Amino acid sequence: MTSTPDTLSRSTDSSQPLVPLLEERWSPRSYDDTATMTDAQLDAVLEAARWAASAMNHQPRRFVAGRRGTDTFAKINDNLLGFNAAWAFRASALVVGVLETTTEDGDERPFAQYDLGQSLTALTVQAHAEGLHVHQMAGIDAEGLRAAFDLPERFLPYTVTAIGTVADPSQLDEKAAEREVAPRTRLPLDEVVLVKE
């Protein structure tokens, strides 16, 4: 595991102590475009996603993963929208999170979004344990990704996750650099938890 320089790490102001992998997790946009991800690291994050909890164990999630410099990475990067395209190309890898919306027989997979979210959380925690950082994106061209990878209709590209080594925010434009170092915030716990006894 590699360590993140102190100037590039960001912790929470959590009201309760959290395990370090959750305390230190954040979503950078500034990645080191010289850093690479090994086969073992990519396999580890995808394996973590594979073993995430799944409703009724249906596992309605699939992944398309490409490391920078590959055709797969280029196809994914070409289907990022707006602001995402301005920074994600520096990541070491891009991973498309795909929903299996129905089975081959046409049965609906109603918990596919929930399952994909769980698997990407596991991927994120594993990546952080590997000394990497993750940024998940919804600004994607789903139909473009479907066409690029010849996915059947029942598979819906839903998110793209950038994975890499965090770098100094000075390489970003001014607005993005400001967001990169802004304090991390969340709604207060008593606003998030509607009932607690």
Side-chain angles (χ1 to χ4, degrees):
M1 176 177 145
T2 60
S3 61
T4 302
D6 288 341
T7 56
L8 303 179
S9 64
R10 300 172 69 198
S11 294
T12 69
D13 62 352
S14 175
S15 64
Q16 298 298 317
L18 301 176
V19 297
L21 288 177
L22 298 178
E23 172 77 24
E24 298 164 2
R25 185 220 61 80
W26 64 289
S27 302
R29 293 174 184 85
S30 186
Y31 286 100
D32 180 348
D33 62 4
T34 66
T36 58
M37 202 171 167
T38 67
D39 286 339
Q41 287 175 316
L42 185 56
D43 287 346
V45 300
L46 293 171
E47 185 71 355
R50 181 173 81 98
W51 279 102
S54 175
M56 296 176 284
N57 204 28
H58 285 164
Q59 304 169 57
R61 61 243 178 157
R62 301 292 186 273
F63 303 94
V64 175
R67 285 181 288 181
R68 192 180 58 251
T70 66
D71 186 51
T72 297
F73 184 99
K75 287 179 180 178
I76 299 170
N77 190 64
D78 287 346
N79 285 284
L80 298 178
L81 300 179
F83 179 51
N84 295 328
W87 58 264
F89 67 92
R90 294 188 185 98
S92 297
L94 295 174
V95 178
V96 183
V98 180
L99 303 176
E100 181 193 36
T101 59
T102 66
T103 66
E104 287 187 76
D105 297 330
D107 296 330
E108 289 191 6
R109 293 294 200 208
F111 299 108
Q113 291 172 327
Y114 181 81
D115 266 39
L116 180 61
Q118 293 226 86
S119 66
L120 290 174
T121 296
L123 178 151
T124 298
V125 171
Q126 182 65 39
H128 197 76
E130 299 282 335
L132 302 167
H133 281 75
V134 164
H135 190 111
Q136 298 176 29
M137 298 169 273
I140 65 170
D141 181 349
E143 290 308 315
L145 286 164
R146 191 199 304 273
F149 296 105
D150 197 26
L151 301 177
E153 190 67 24
R154 66 192 188 91
F155 286 145
L156 175 63
Y158 197 66
T159 66
V160 170
T161 300
I163 309 172
T165 302
V166 68
D168 193 274
S170 61
Q171 68 182 339
L172 301 172
D173 67 40
E174 185 178 353
K175 183 177 178 182
E178 286 175 5
R179 292 175 68 179
E180 198 81 345
V181 297
R184 294 176 61 199
T185 61
R186 289 294 186 271
L187 295 172
L189 192 61
D190 62 1
E191 192 172 331
V192 173
V193 179
L194 302 178
V195 177
K196 181 184 79 172
E197 293 185 334

